[in-house]
Amino acid sequence: MRRSGAFVLAFIFILWITPAVFAADNGSPDAASAQPAAAAVPDAQTADAQPADTPAAAPAKNPAPAPEQVFSINQVELFWTAAAKPDAVYGYGTSTHDLGTVQFEHFSFHRWGEIYFDAEGYQGHNVGSPFSTGNDWQSLLVLNPYFSIAKMSHKKKFGFGPITDVQMVARFERESYPDTPHFYTRNFGPTLVFKVPGFAWFESGLLERWDNINRKETYLWRSVVLSNGWNVGGQKFHYNLLSLINGTRGNGTSVFERNDFLWEVPKVQHVQVGMRLEIENYAHDPIEAVYYGLDKPYTRVMPEVMAKYIF
């Protein structure tokens, strides 16, 4: 009941925001000055990145729209690595360590807050091994609705000092791994948005978490950091970070980080290339326990070459 209820709420929410998203695409009065090529942050500073559960930076050529305007950004990213060693928790390691990934992200600003959607596909030999075999494909879906107190109270800022906004965020995640049951988690809680020099978005919050594997209320400490375009020698570089730290019943504290290091291709503002560095760690590795009877931690440092197209 808990899972089905959460999905019903998510479905109702998608239906609610869909007209606003299409209105932005169709040139409604609310979207008259929207610029899909540029990202914005809630305090309306000129930015070249958007808040996302998987961070991504978009170049800003023109001033960002005001926070009450409606607009959206989409992007597609391609990745490849030879360091995807088997991983029992996140489930997209391979038996050969070779892995290709495609990721689609959507982010949109609305009068009440923001919404983020992420779809990822992983391709390789025995993706999800050793507990899921015979699969050359795994997938992940994430939905994040944000409710901004500053926007809903019609203020440019809600907070003090470097805090510019307090938002309530929900995070729904569904994976194709493991084979049965497919992993699902829902998270709810507050997140703080900070104004930090050199960064377009700096967010951190503590959420209540539940998933269908551990079946225990625990926590998720979630942080998103997106840099402005840093000019170095006439070239623009971007750094983006996604950090997820959560408790589990059987595997101990789990740490997941995504670090994106990107170079903005000159004269092609919508294209960026570079490297993603994923770092994963949890206290008790199920692979060591099941196959060797050992209680050992798991660590994976996975560099990936990447290319991004923003539209």
Side-chain angles (χ1 to χ4, degrees), residues 79-99:
F79 305 85
W80 186 84
T81 183
K85 75 175 187 178
D87 170 15
V89 172
Y90 294 99
Y92 55 92
T94 69
S95 57
T96 62
H97 295 197
D98 293 336
L99 179 73

Side-chain angles (χ1 to χ4, degrees), residues 281-311:
N281 179 270
Y282 41 89
H284 307 289
D285 184 1
I287 296 176
E288 293 286 347
V290 171
Y291 288 94
Y292 307 107
L294 301 175
D295 184 10
K296 297 176 64 175
Y298 175 91
T299 299
R300 180 172 77 175
V301 178
M302 186 173 76
E304 303 172 84
V305 293
M306 66 178 292
K308 176 188 299 185
Y309 177 71
I310 305 161
F311 59 99

Side-chain angles (χ1 to χ4, degrees), residues 28-46:
S28 69
D30 286 341
S33 59
Q35 302 162 19
V41 294
D43 58 0
Q45 57 185 306
T46 300

Side-chain angles (χ1 to χ4, degrees), residues 240-294:
N240 306 319
L241 166 69
L242 168 68
S243 174
L244 303 173
I245 301 174
N246 62 266
T248 63
R249 184 177 63 183
N251 303 319
T253 300
S254 171
V255 178
F256 177 88
E257 286 188 5
R258 274 183 173 173
N259 301 269
D260 290 350
F261 304 90
L262 292 160
W263 170 59
E264 191 174 305
V265 178
K267 299 181 180 180
V268 190
Q269 287 189 327
H270 302 290
V271 177
Q272 298 174 9
V273 296
M275 181 186 76
R276 169 171 286 178
L277 183 65
E278 287 193 355
I279 301 172
E280 303 168 17
N281 179 270
Y282 41 89
H284 307 289
D285 184 1
I287 296 176
E288 293 286 347
V290 171
Y291 288 94
Y292 307 107
L294 301 175

Side-chain angles (χ1 to χ4, degrees), residues 59-178:
K61 184 177 180 181
N62 300 308
E68 67 272 9
Q69 294 172 338
V70 177
F71 81 108
S72 63
I73 291 177
N74 301 285
Q75 58 191 30
V76 175
E77 295 144 301
L78 300 176
F79 305 85
W80 186 84
T81 183
K85 75 175 187 178
D87 170 15
V89 172
Y90 294 99
Y92 55 92
T94 69
S95 57
T96 62
H97 295 197
D98 293 336
L99 179 73
T101 303
V102 59
Q103 181 176 10
F104 169 79
E105 296 177 277
H106 165 87
F107 186 80
S108 52
F109 271 72
H110 304 273
R111 297 178 184 274
W112 42 263
E114 301 86 43
I115 190 164
Y116 169 78
F117 173 75
D118 173 37
E120 301 179 21
Y122 313 104
Q123 195 279 327
H125 184 64
N126 285 331
V127 184
S129 62
F131 294 144
S132 178
T133 58
N135 297 310
D136 291 339
W137 181 265
Q138 298 283 2
S139 61
L140 165 70
L141 298 175
V142 176
L143 175 67
N144 284 0
Y146 292 79
F147 298 91
S148 165
I149 296 180
K151 287 186 176 182
M152 291 189 292
S153 61
H154 305 289
K155 296 180 179 180
K156 290 186 177 180
K157 179 178 180 180
F158 185 87
F160 58 91
I163 300 174
T164 60
D165 197 8
V166 178
Q167 300 194 351
M168 297 301 297
V169 61
R171 184 177 191 272
F172 302 98
E173 178 183 340
R174 182 78 175 188
E175 299 182 25
S176 62
Y177 174 88

